[in-house]
Amino acid sequence: MLAPSFALGGSAGAAVAVAANLAGWQVSVPVLALVGAGAVLSITQRAPVFGTVFVWELARGPLWVLALMAVVSVCCWWLTSRPSRMRGSST
């Protein structure tokens, strides 16, 4: 599950960065690729802290990238786990 998550998340993050650059925004492709990889790993493993720290440790990015990854990973994890919380009362 780790390698496909990295590949999918990194590709999605890079695609978003390229689209943003084409739209006129100046964003870093490698940073958004790392953020995407961390977010997808957080969702697939259902562990936002693990996904964020694991990807950051592999890439050894700057500390501000860790903070950005943490925010995005927790938001993505919360959004994907949200429907199960809403169904919990009917079981």
Side-chain angles (χ1 to χ4, degrees):
M1 287 290 277
L2 295 178
S5 297
F6 290 143
L8 180 65
S11 298
V16 168
V18 168
N21 282 330
L22 289 174
W25 300 333
Q26 296 300 318
V27 295
S28 173
V29 175
V31 168
L32 284 183
L34 284 176
V35 170
V40 172
L41 187 63
S42 296
I43 292 168
T44 58
Q45 298 298 311
R46 297 182 185 203
V49 176
F50 165 74
T52 301
V53 173
F54 191 72
V55 171
W56 185 75
E57 277 289 322
L58 288 176
R60 294 287 183 178
L63 199 54
W64 65 270
V65 174
L66 177 63
L68 178 64
M69 287 174 58
V71 169
V72 171
S73 292
V74 168
C75 289
C76 289
W77 172 79
W78 184 77
L79 287 172
T80 57
S81 68
R82 191 170 165 204
S84 64
R85 289 187 201 142
M86 293 171 66
R87 288 181 292 183
S89 61
S90 65
T91 57

